[in-house]
Amino acid sequence: MLSEWELWACANRVLQTHGEEAALHAAEQIGALVLQGDAEGVRTGRRSPPASRNFPQPAGKHRPLTG
């Protein structure tokens, strides 16, 4: 299991790489883990800030997360 610090470091990388699409990227990755049957990966992915509603969004155009 990743520590909170490791999780935020990974999330920061996703945000830097994918910008406004970070939440979508996280959801796609979690979906792939579901299809692979990786329950632990899904649990970790769901803890990821880009997959949650409390991740700081980049400046600029914002799209609300639904779900």
Side-chain angles (χ1 to χ4, degrees):
M1 179 180 266
L2 295 176
S3 71
E4 290 300 313
W5 185 92
E6 291 168 317
L7 196 59
W8 275 93
C10 293
N12 187 50
R13 179 66 176 185
V14 169
L15 180 61
Q16 289 176 352
T17 303
H18 298 280
E20 291 183 13
E21 301 298 320
L24 175 61
H25 175 76
E28 289 172 340
Q29 294 302 304
I30 292 168
L33 293 169
V34 168
L35 293 175
Q36 294 171 13
D38 185 349
E40 182 64 28
V42 170
R43 278 191 291 279
T44 299
R46 288 184 176 160
R47 287 180 51 225
S48 169
S52 70
R53 297 180 187 273
N54 62 1
F55 193 68
Q57 295 295 312
K61 192 183 212 178
H62 298 288
R63 289 180 291 155
L65 296 175
T66 59

